[in-house]
Amino acid sequence: RRSTGPRNVRASDVRPRRETLASRGGTWGVATSTRPRTASPRDQNGNASAVTITWSSSATGFATVSSTGVVTGVAAGTAVITAASGNVSSTVTITVAAQVLTSITVSGGSTVVAGSTLQLIAAARDQNGKAMTGVFTWASDATAVATVNSSGLVTGVAVGSANITASSGGVNGTTAITVTAAAVFPSNVDVNATASNTFAPATIDVARNGTVNWIFAAVTHNVAFGGSAPTGGNIGNTASATVSRTFTV
Protein backbone atom coordinates (compact mmCIF):
# COMPACT_ATOMS: atom_id res chain seq x y z
CA ARG A 1 0.00 0.00 0.00
CA ARG A 2 1.37 3.44 -0.93
CA SER A 3 1.98 5.97 1.77
CA THR A 4 0.38 9.38 1.50
CA GLY A 5 2.62 10.94 4.17
CA PRO A 6 5.24 13.62 3.49
CA ARG A 7 8.40 12.72 1.54
CA ASN A 8 11.72 13.22 3.27
CA VAL A 9 13.75 15.95 1.52
CA ARG A 10 17.52 16.04 1.81
CA ALA A 11 19.17 19.30 2.71
CA SER A 12 21.25 19.04 -0.44
CA ASP A 13 18.10 19.35 -2.55
CA VAL A 14 17.48 22.96 -1.41
CA ARG A 15 21.02 24.22 -0.72
CA PRO A 16 21.44 27.59 -2.49
CA ARG A 17 23.98 27.71 -5.29
CA ARG A 18 25.79 30.84 -6.45
CA GLU A 19 24.56 31.02 -10.01
CA THR A 20 24.05 34.69 -10.82
CA LEU A 21 25.78 37.87 -9.69
CA ALA A 22 24.49 41.19 -11.01
CA SER A 23 26.35 44.47 -10.50
CA ARG A 24 24.17 47.57 -10.73
CA GLY A 25 25.24 50.69 -12.56
CA GLY A 26 26.36 51.85 -15.95
CA THR A 27 28.93 54.10 -17.52
CA TRP A 28 30.02 56.93 -15.28
CA GLY A 29 32.97 58.94 -14.21
CA VAL A 30 34.98 62.09 -13.85
CA ALA A 31 38.71 61.82 -13.29
CA THR A 32 39.64 62.10 -9.57
CA SER A 33 36.00 61.51 -8.53
CA THR A 34 34.65 58.49 -6.68
CA ARG A 35 31.39 56.58 -6.80
CA PRO A 36 30.24 53.38 -5.07
CA ARG A 37 29.18 50.34 -7.10
CA THR A 38 26.89 47.62 -5.69
CA ALA A 39 26.71 43.88 -6.35
CA SER A 40 23.57 41.77 -5.71
CA PRO A 41 24.34 38.03 -5.49
CA ARG A 42 21.31 35.70 -5.84
CA ASP A 43 20.84 31.94 -5.81
CA GLN A 44 19.11 29.72 -8.40
CA ASN A 45 15.73 30.72 -6.96
CA GLY A 46 16.40 34.46 -7.20
CA ASN A 47 16.89 34.86 -3.46
CA ALA A 48 19.58 37.12 -2.06
CA SER A 49 22.72 35.22 -1.15
CA ALA A 50 25.32 36.29 1.41
CA VAL A 51 28.71 35.74 -0.23
CA THR A 52 32.07 37.49 -0.31
CA ILE A 53 32.53 39.80 -3.31
CA THR A 54 35.95 40.48 -4.86
CA TRP A 55 36.26 43.66 -6.93
CA SER A 56 38.77 44.36 -9.69
CA SER A 57 39.45 46.84 -12.49
CA SER A 58 40.70 45.98 -15.97
CA ALA A 59 42.54 49.31 -16.30
CA THR A 60 43.74 50.84 -13.06
CA GLY A 61 45.36 53.66 -15.03
CA PHE A 62 41.84 54.87 -15.77
CA ALA A 63 39.80 53.70 -12.76
CA THR A 64 40.48 51.77 -9.57
CA VAL A 65 38.00 49.98 -7.34
CA SER A 66 38.23 49.35 -3.61
CA SER A 67 37.36 46.15 -1.75
CA THR A 68 33.94 47.66 -1.05
CA GLY A 69 33.20 48.60 -4.66
CA VAL A 70 34.09 52.29 -4.57
CA VAL A 71 35.36 53.30 -7.99
CA THR A 72 37.86 56.17 -8.28
CA GLY A 73 38.43 57.86 -11.63
CA VAL A 74 42.15 58.31 -12.30
CA ALA A 75 42.36 59.56 -15.90
CA ALA A 76 40.08 59.89 -18.91
CA GLY A 77 39.40 56.45 -20.40
CA THR A 78 37.40 53.27 -19.95
CA ALA A 79 37.74 50.44 -17.45
CA VAL A 80 35.72 47.30 -16.84
CA ILE A 81 34.88 46.78 -13.18
CA THR A 82 34.31 43.14 -12.18
CA ALA A 83 32.51 41.80 -9.12
CA ALA A 84 33.30 38.13 -8.55
CA SER A 85 32.54 35.37 -6.07
CA GLY A 86 33.87 31.89 -6.67
CA ASN A 87 33.47 31.10 -10.37
CA VAL A 88 30.62 33.60 -10.82
CA SER A 89 31.23 37.18 -11.92
CA SER A 90 29.55 40.21 -13.41
CA THR A 91 30.97 43.36 -14.98
CA VAL A 92 30.12 46.99 -15.55
CA THR A 93 31.89 49.41 -17.88
CA ILE A 94 33.04 52.67 -16.33
CA THR A 95 33.83 55.61 -18.57
CA VAL A 96 36.03 58.22 -16.89
CA ALA A 97 35.57 61.61 -18.49
CA ALA A 98 38.14 64.39 -18.29
CA GLN A 99 37.51 67.19 -15.82
CA VAL A 100 35.98 70.24 -17.46
CA LEU A 101 36.59 73.63 -15.88
CA THR A 102 33.14 75.03 -15.12
CA SER A 103 33.51 77.75 -12.50
CA ILE A 104 36.09 80.00 -10.85
CA THR A 105 35.62 81.58 -7.43
CA VAL A 106 37.75 84.53 -6.28
CA SER A 107 38.23 85.11 -2.55
CA GLY A 108 40.62 86.80 -0.15
CA GLY A 109 38.90 90.07 0.75
CA SER A 110 36.95 92.98 -0.64
CA THR A 111 38.69 96.07 0.76
CA VAL A 112 42.21 97.44 0.46
CA VAL A 113 43.73 100.73 1.61
CA ALA A 114 45.24 102.96 -1.06
CA GLY A 115 48.94 102.23 -1.17
CA SER A 116 48.52 98.78 0.39
CA THR A 117 48.11 95.30 -1.09
CA LEU A 118 45.60 92.47 -0.84
CA GLN A 119 46.23 88.86 -1.92
CA LEU A 120 43.33 87.26 -3.79
CA ILE A 121 42.92 83.51 -4.38
CA ALA A 122 41.22 81.84 -7.35
CA ALA A 123 39.65 78.38 -6.98
CA ALA A 124 38.61 76.29 -10.00
CA ARG A 125 35.90 73.62 -9.99
CA ASP A 126 34.81 71.04 -12.56
CA GLN A 127 31.37 70.05 -13.85
CA ASN A 128 30.69 68.08 -10.68
CA GLY A 129 31.76 70.88 -8.35
CA LYS A 130 35.06 69.22 -7.46
CA ALA A 131 38.24 71.25 -7.05
CA MET A 132 40.77 71.16 -9.87
CA THR A 133 44.01 72.92 -10.66
CA GLY A 134 44.05 75.93 -12.95
CA VAL A 135 46.37 78.53 -14.41
CA PHE A 136 44.76 81.95 -14.10
CA THR A 137 45.07 85.27 -15.87
CA TRP A 138 44.29 88.24 -13.62
CA ALA A 139 42.88 91.59 -14.71
CA SER A 140 41.40 94.79 -13.25
CA ASP A 141 38.69 96.79 -14.99
CA ALA A 142 39.85 100.02 -13.29
CA THR A 143 43.64 100.16 -13.02
CA ALA A 144 43.46 103.80 -11.89
CA VAL A 145 41.77 102.49 -8.74
CA ALA A 146 43.39 99.07 -8.24
CA THR A 147 45.92 96.96 -10.13
CA VAL A 148 46.50 93.21 -9.91
CA ASN A 149 49.61 91.21 -10.80
CA SER A 150 49.94 87.75 -12.34
CA SER A 151 49.61 86.02 -8.96
CA GLY A 152 46.44 87.83 -7.84
CA LEU A 153 48.11 90.47 -5.64
CA VAL A 154 45.94 93.62 -5.68
CA THR A 155 47.43 97.06 -5.04
CA GLY A 156 45.15 99.92 -4.05
CA VAL A 157 45.91 103.01 -6.13
CA ALA A 158 43.13 105.49 -5.41
CA VAL A 159 39.79 105.62 -3.61
CA GLY A 160 37.08 103.87 -5.61
CA SER A 161 35.91 100.46 -6.79
CA ALA A 162 37.34 97.95 -9.24
CA ASN A 163 36.36 94.49 -10.44
CA ILE A 164 39.18 91.96 -10.31
CA THR A 165 38.79 88.96 -12.63
CA ALA A 166 40.58 85.62 -12.71
CA SER A 167 40.26 83.80 -16.06
CA SER A 168 41.19 80.35 -17.34
CA GLY A 169 40.08 78.52 -20.46
CA GLY A 170 37.29 80.97 -21.21
CA VAL A 171 35.85 80.73 -17.68
CA ASN A 172 35.87 83.83 -15.45
CA GLY A 173 35.51 84.55 -11.77
CA THR A 174 35.13 88.15 -10.55
CA THR A 175 35.14 89.94 -7.23
CA ALA A 176 34.56 93.61 -6.41
CA ILE A 177 37.31 95.47 -4.58
CA THR A 178 36.80 98.76 -2.73
CA VAL A 179 39.85 100.98 -2.23
CA THR A 180 39.66 103.20 0.83
CA ALA A 181 41.75 106.25 1.71
CA ALA A 182 44.90 105.73 3.70
CA ALA A 183 44.91 107.22 7.19
CA VAL A 184 46.58 110.64 7.36
CA PHE A 185 48.92 111.10 10.34
CA PRO A 186 50.44 114.37 11.55
CA SER A 187 54.05 115.09 10.66
CA ASN A 188 54.79 116.95 13.92
CA VAL A 189 53.54 116.02 17.41
CA ASP A 190 54.25 117.44 20.91
CA VAL A 191 54.48 115.22 24.00
CA ASN A 192 54.58 116.82 27.45
CA ALA A 193 56.54 115.28 30.31
CA THR A 194 54.60 116.00 33.49
CA ALA A 195 55.76 116.41 37.06
CA SER A 196 54.16 113.05 37.95
CA ASN A 197 56.59 111.17 35.69
CA THR A 198 54.03 110.54 32.95
CA PHE A 199 53.71 111.66 29.34
CA ALA A 200 50.70 113.36 27.78
CA PRO A 201 49.40 112.13 25.49
CA ALA A 202 50.37 108.59 26.44
CA THR A 203 50.15 107.32 22.85
CA ILE A 204 50.54 109.13 19.53
CA ASP A 205 50.41 108.52 15.78
CA VAL A 206 52.94 110.24 13.56
CA ALA A 207 53.57 110.12 9.83
CA ARG A 208 56.61 108.36 8.39
CA ASN A 209 59.56 110.75 8.68
CA GLY A 210 57.49 112.73 11.19
CA THR A 211 58.91 114.46 14.25
CA VAL A 212 57.93 114.10 17.90
CA ASN A 213 58.89 116.89 20.34
CA TRP A 214 59.32 115.92 23.99
CA ILE A 215 58.72 118.98 26.16
CA PHE A 216 60.35 118.42 29.54
CA ALA A 217 59.30 120.36 32.67
CA ALA A 218 61.58 121.10 35.63
CA VAL A 219 61.46 117.49 36.75
CA THR A 220 64.12 115.34 35.11
CA HIS A 221 62.92 112.64 32.69
CA ASN A 222 64.46 110.23 30.21
CA VAL A 223 63.00 108.33 27.22
CA ALA A 224 64.04 104.84 26.10
CA PHE A 225 62.66 103.54 22.80
CA GLY A 226 61.75 99.94 22.15
CA GLY A 227 61.99 98.37 18.71
CA SER A 228 63.29 100.66 15.98
CA ALA A 229 64.71 103.78 17.61
CA PRO A 230 64.22 107.19 15.94
CA THR A 231 67.01 109.26 14.54
CA GLY A 232 69.07 110.44 17.52
CA GLY A 233 68.21 107.41 19.67
CA ASN A 234 67.15 107.45 23.32
CA ILE A 235 66.80 110.67 25.28
CA GLY A 236 68.93 110.85 28.43
CA ASN A 237 68.04 112.63 31.68
CA THR A 238 66.60 115.98 30.67
CA ALA A 239 64.79 118.82 32.43
CA SER A 240 63.38 122.20 31.36
CA ALA A 241 64.09 121.56 27.67
CA THR A 242 62.51 120.33 24.45
CA VAL A 243 64.10 117.41 22.61
CA SER A 244 62.93 116.25 19.15
CA ARG A 245 63.25 112.90 17.42
CA THR A 246 62.38 111.93 13.81
CA PHE A 247 60.80 108.57 13.03
CA THR A 248 61.74 107.17 9.62
CA VAL A 249 59.95 103.82 9.99
Side-chain angles (χ1 to χ4, degrees):
R1 195 174 67 179
R2 291 185 302 173
S3 172
T4 60
R7 181 175 63 89
N8 291 329
V9 180
R10 294 177 299 167
S12 60
D13 292 335
V14 294
R15 184 174 58 194
R17 291 177 296 163
R18 291 171 291 176
E19 291 187 350
T20 62
L21 183 68
S23 60
R24 300 196 190 100
T27 59
W28 166 87
V30 172
T32 73
S33 297
T34 61
R35 183 169 181 174
R37 302 284 87 188
T38 58
S40 303
R42 296 185 181 277
D43 64 18
Q44 70 274 29
N45 295 319
N47 297 318
S49 179
V51 295
T52 300
I53 306 297
T54 300
W55 294 87
S56 63
S57 168
S58 66
T60 55
F62 297 136
T64 61
V65 61
S66 73
S67 60
T68 57
V70 176
V71 176
T72 299
V74 177
T78 300
V80 177
I81 305 300
T82 300
S85 181
N87 61 352
V88 181
S89 65
S90 183
T91 63
V92 63
T93 299
I94 296 294
T95 299
V96 182
Q99 285 183 294
V100 178
L101 176 61
T102 303
S103 66
I104 296 173
T105 302
V106 179
S107 61
S110 59
T111 304
V112 63
V113 175
S116 298
T117 60
L118 174 69
Q119 181 65 60
L120 297 181
I121 299 171
R125 294 193 176 276
D126 66 14
Q127 65 270 41
N128 286 328
K130 293 188 175 294
M132 61 182 297
T133 59
V135 177
F136 306 103
T137 299
W138 293 88
S140 168
D141 69 349
T143 55
V145 174
T147 60
V148 60
N149 69 8
S150 59
S151 62
L153 184 68
V154 175
T155 300
V157 177
V159 175
S161 298
N163 291 313
I164 306 298
T165 300
S167 303
S168 182
V171 180
N172 301 322
T174 301
T175 189
I177 295 294
T178 299
V179 181
T180 60
V184 178
F185 297 112
S187 59
N188 195 286
V189 180
D190 291 339
V191 175
N192 292 284
T194 68
S196 58
N197 293 321
T198 59
F199 293 97
T203 61
I204 59 169
D205 291 315
V206 64
R208 185 187 297 270
N209 297 317
T211 299
V212 179
N213 308 302
W214 275 268
I215 303 171
F216 295 97
V219 178
T220 299
H221 291 74
N222 65 76
V223 180
F225 299 99
S228 299
T231 302
N234 295 335
I235 302 173
N237 291 332
T238 304
S240 302
T242 298
V243 180
S244 300
R245 292 289 187 264
T246 299
F247 291 82
T248 58
V249 294

